[in-house]
């Protein structure tokens, strides 16, 4: 995929990306009015540290470790958000493609809350070749391939990580669309 260089809608740098998530029940019917929270690192591999809007497991996020105690990162809210699913079970986040940090593959964390109860906390990943192409060739990233592939990551199963991988398309403006459906059992 050739990614042109439109500007990122976030104050951070990187490949512009729309993240689209669809929430469905065990009968594949859309789930409306659920909260989906997401968070991921910036192009330099740092997380923002202000998680004051978060509850549950995301509020226990280790800010000093994941921000490298960077004062700007500790005070920031980049690449974090909570949205409520629409009648089709969809939410959309506009931001930038994540960076990476040693010992982890490229990933986005998410949390699902339905009727005030946490249903799921997990992560999704991206195709290794796509990630490395961006990291090596886009000026906002490290200039080097990530050190951990999806199959060697300690969070995703080595022989089933594809189930956790985003589908990706290029949009009309050259930015990226990453999307995934999430099924939760609501019985």
């Amino acid at each position: 995929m050739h990614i042109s260089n439109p500007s990122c809608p976030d104050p951070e740098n990187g490949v512009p990306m729309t993240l689209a998530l669809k929430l469905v029940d065990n009968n594949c019917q859309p789930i409306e009015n659920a909260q989906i929270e997401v968070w991921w690192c910036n192009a330099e591999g740092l997380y923002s540290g202000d998680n004051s809007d978060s509850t549950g497991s995301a509020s226990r996020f280790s800010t000093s470790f994941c921000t490298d105690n960077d004062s700007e990162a500790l005070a920031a809210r980049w690449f974090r958000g909570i949205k409520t699913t629409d009648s089709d079970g969809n939410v959309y986040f506009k931001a930038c493609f994540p960076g990476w940090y040693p010992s982890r593959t490229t990933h986005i964390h998410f949390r699902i809350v339905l009727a005030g109860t946490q249903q799921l906390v997990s992560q999704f990943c991206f195709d290794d070749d796509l990630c490395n192409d961006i990291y090596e060739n886009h000026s906002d990233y490290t200039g080097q391939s990530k050190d951990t592939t999806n199959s060697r990551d300690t969070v995703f199963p080595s022989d089933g990580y594809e189930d956790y991988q985003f589908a990706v398309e290029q949009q009309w403006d050259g930015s990226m669309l990453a999307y995934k459906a999430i099924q939760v059992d609501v019985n």
Side-chain angles (χ1 to χ4, degrees), residues 39-58:
W39 64 101
W40 65 91
C41 68
N42 69 2
E44 298 172 11
L46 294 177
Y47 286 89
S48 60
D50 180 356
N51 59 355
S52 57
D53 289 343
S54 181
T55 59
S57 60

Side-chain angles (χ1 to χ4, degrees), residues 117-137:
T117 302
Q118 181 170 287
Q119 300 292 313
L120 177 65
V121 177
S122 192
Q123 301 171 31
F124 288 128
C125 59
F126 292 85
D127 176 77
D128 289 321
D129 291 336
L130 171 69
C131 295
N132 289 333
D133 182 47
I134 291 170
Y135 299 149
E136 292 169 9
N137 297 307

Side-chain angles (χ1 to χ4, degrees), residues 24 29 58 130 132 155 160 175 185:
V24 297
Q29 295 302 306
L130 171 69
N132 289 333
V155 173
S175 65
D185 185 2

Side-chain angles (χ1 to χ4, degrees), residues 27-46:
N27 295 313
C28 294
Q29 295 302 306
I31 299 175
E32 185 177 8
N33 294 322
Q35 286 188 329
I36 299 182
E37 180 176 7
V38 295
W39 64 101
W40 65 91
C41 68
N42 69 2
E44 298 172 11
L46 294 177

Side-chain angles (χ1 to χ4, degrees), residues 40-96:
W40 65 91
C41 68
N42 69 2
E44 298 172 11
L46 294 177
Y47 286 89
S48 60
D50 180 356
N51 59 355
S52 57
D53 289 343
S54 181
T55 59
S57 60
S59 68
R60 295 188 301 271
F61 169 73
S62 175
T63 55
S64 61
F65 174 75
C66 296
T67 61
D68 202 24
N69 275 326
D70 179 274
S71 60
E72 182 180 329
L74 283 165
R77 291 202 38 79
W78 68 66
F79 308 139
R80 296 180 169 278
I82 302 171
K83 296 223 176 168
T84 301
T85 56
D86 63 19
S87 60
D88 294 320
N90 296 321
V91 294
Y92 303 93
F93 299 90
K94 287 193 173 279
C96 290

